Amino acid sequence: MSTSKIIRLGLIGAGRMGSFHGLTAARHIPGACLAAIADPTPGQAARLAAELGVQRVYTDPQQLLDDPEIDAVLIAAPARSHAELVISAARAGKGVFCEKPMAITLDEADRAIAAAADARVPLQVGFNRRFAKSFRAAHLDVVAGRIGTPQLLRSLTRDPALNNPAASPQWVIFLETLIHDFDTLRYLNPGAEAVEVFVMADALIAPDFKDKGFLDTAVVTIRFDNGAIATAEANFQAVYGYDVRGEVFGSAGMLTMGSLNDSDLVRYLANGIQADTQRLDTDLLRDAYVAELNHFVDCLRTGEKPLASGEDARAALAIARACIESFQQGKPVRVQGAHS
């Protein structure tokens, strides 16, 4: 793709996350623009298009994919539709950025990866922590050997408030929340793969929904093939803010990353010490969200493989699927495809 050409992006899905990605594409990517929006919900695409000054509006995502003017797509539709949209976009010859999870089953993931490979288009998945400054620096430190051999790792995601549990798809805590942590742990333990998981999980915030298959609290122990042991934890109601942190402990030191503070302002008052915290993922990780889409556009121009690839998404999904099995069986489970 020409280095000077403006890259025209199409957005599929104009909900909360789609709107945020749309704004980023429209305003914060030099050399790219948001050229079209598709969303089957009546009025949704038109509302966002009016806000962002986008001319082309579709209710059928396929119409956007058939538009020859569009170079690449950003997929921010509901998770259960991601894999089919990735496949359709690749077949239409569009570069693909897909919000996590890329797929719900490993078979879907394989089909999505194959479709992008066959079409020779870049496929990037929205694992934004790889683009957060502290997580990126930690990854590079581990690669450089600054903390020796990783032995213990930790990643956590605590959402600030539980939305309607009745509307949550089954296994959402593993497939849509902890999927970030599984990718983060692989990123912080580069070259190693998960071989076994053990899950303890419950519905502690909304116990009435447990019999409907809803879980809102989980701790996962993961063993990697280089011997490292990791924990990933999630909870859907951290009353104090949106909390995302990571840690790598190695033979020669330790790295910690992540803060939920709104700024470095701390108030020392008569009744104690106080700091403001972030309440939204798009605020806490704003720079990472912007960086990942800029990286995607760079990959479209250069043909380089994205830092968060379809294969990375599949590996994180393999861990998530093993977690579901471990929870159902109440025992440790091998990760499918694990080789040691």
Side-chain angles (χ1 to χ4, degrees), residues 287-303:
D287 291 350
Y289 280 114
V290 172
E292 70 180 355
L293 288 192
N294 275 277
H295 174 70
F296 174 59
V297 167
D298 288 344
C299 291
L300 288 167
R301 287 194 193 286
T302 62

Side-chain angles (χ1 to χ4, degrees), residues 10 20 35 42 78 91 98 107-108 114 132 155-156 159 203 216 244 246 270 333:
F20 183 81
R91 285 181 181 155
C98 182
D107 175 57
E108 275 185 349
S155 180
L156 65 85
D159 290 346
D216 54 38
V244 168
V333 165

Side-chain angles (χ1 to χ4, degrees), residues 50-326:
E51 202 179 299
L52 298 177
V54 173
Q55 303 305 313
R56 295 163 187 251
V57 175
Y58 302 108
T59 48
D60 179 357
Q62 191 58 50
Q63 292 174 302
L64 184 150
L65 295 177
D66 291 339
D67 185 337
E69 294 285 302
I70 302 301
D71 300 307
V73 294
L74 313 175
I75 296 170
R80 300 314 195 256
S81 64
H82 286 180
E84 290 308 324
L85 286 168
V86 170
I87 292 163
S88 300
R91 285 181 181 155
K94 315 293 188 198
V96 186
F97 174 91
C98 182
E99 253 311 329
K100 54 79 209 168
M102 178 184 75
I104 297 300
T105 67
L106 292 174
D107 175 57
E108 275 185 349
D110 288 335
R111 288 173 52 230
I113 291 165
D118 289 349
R120 297 187 175 175
V121 294
L123 169 56
Q124 182 177 330
V125 181
F127 290 129
N128 52 58
R129 282 173 220 180
R130 288 175 177 249
F131 298 89
K133 215 171 175 180
S134 58
F135 285 85
R136 177 81 183 141
H139 164 82
L140 294 172
D141 275 3
V142 177
V143 170
R146 294 183 76 170
I147 56 148
T149 308
Q151 295 170 344
L152 290 169
L153 299 99
R154 182 172 182 234
S155 180
L156 65 85
T157 303
R158 296 176 186 159
D159 290 346
L162 176 64
N163 291 326
N164 176 13
S168 292
Q170 197 181 20
W171 311 122
V172 68
I173 199 164
F174 302 123
L175 294 169
E176 296 185 41
T177 300
L178 280 162
I179 198 101
H180 270 303
D181 300 275
F182 302 149
D183 182 69
T184 298
L185 292 168
R186 290 184 65 250
Y187 185 57
L188 296 175
N189 192 13
E193 291 297 348
V195 291
E196 187 179 58
V197 306
F198 178 59
V199 169
M200 293 185 83
D202 209 336
L204 301 180
I205 305 159
D208 295 353
F209 288 87
K210 188 179 178 181
D211 60 354
K212 297 177 177 67
F214 176 76
L215 301 167
D216 54 38
T217 307
V219 176
V220 181
T221 310
I222 304 169
R223 183 179 286 281
F224 282 87
D225 59 7
N226 65 346
I229 299 168
T231 53
E233 67 163 78
N235 180 283
F236 288 159
Q237 192 143 295
V239 296
Y240 54 85
Y242 188 69
D243 191 0
V244 168
R245 285 175 283 142
E247 181 179 293
V248 191
F249 171 90
S251 56
M254 179 177 78
L255 304 167
T256 70
M257 63 233 71
S259 164
L260 64 160
N261 286 5
D262 182 47
S263 73
D264 54 13
L265 171 68
V266 180
R267 300 182 186 91
Y268 296 80
L269 307 169
N271 60 352
I273 297 172
Q274 191 262 337
D276 295 328
T277 56
Q278 300 281 14
R279 303 284 155 157
L280 284 175
D281 48 2
T282 46
D283 290 336
L284 183 71
L285 293 159
R286 183 186 178 281
D287 291 350
Y289 280 114
V290 172
E292 70 180 355
L293 288 192
N294 275 277
H295 174 70
F296 174 59
V297 167
D298 288 344
C299 291
L300 288 167
R301 287 194 193 286
T302 62
E304 277 176 43
K305 192 177 180 74
L307 274 176
S309 67
E311 288 80 3
D312 291 319
R314 189 199 191 280
L317 178 63
I319 299 172
R321 298 300 320 183
C323 285
I324 294 168
E325 238 178 284
S326 173

Side-chain angles (χ1 to χ4, degrees), residues 22-44:
L23 177 68
T24 302
R27 311 254 162 90
H28 301 294
I29 309 179
C33 70
L34 183 64
I37 303 173
D39 192 307
T41 310
Q44 191 97 305

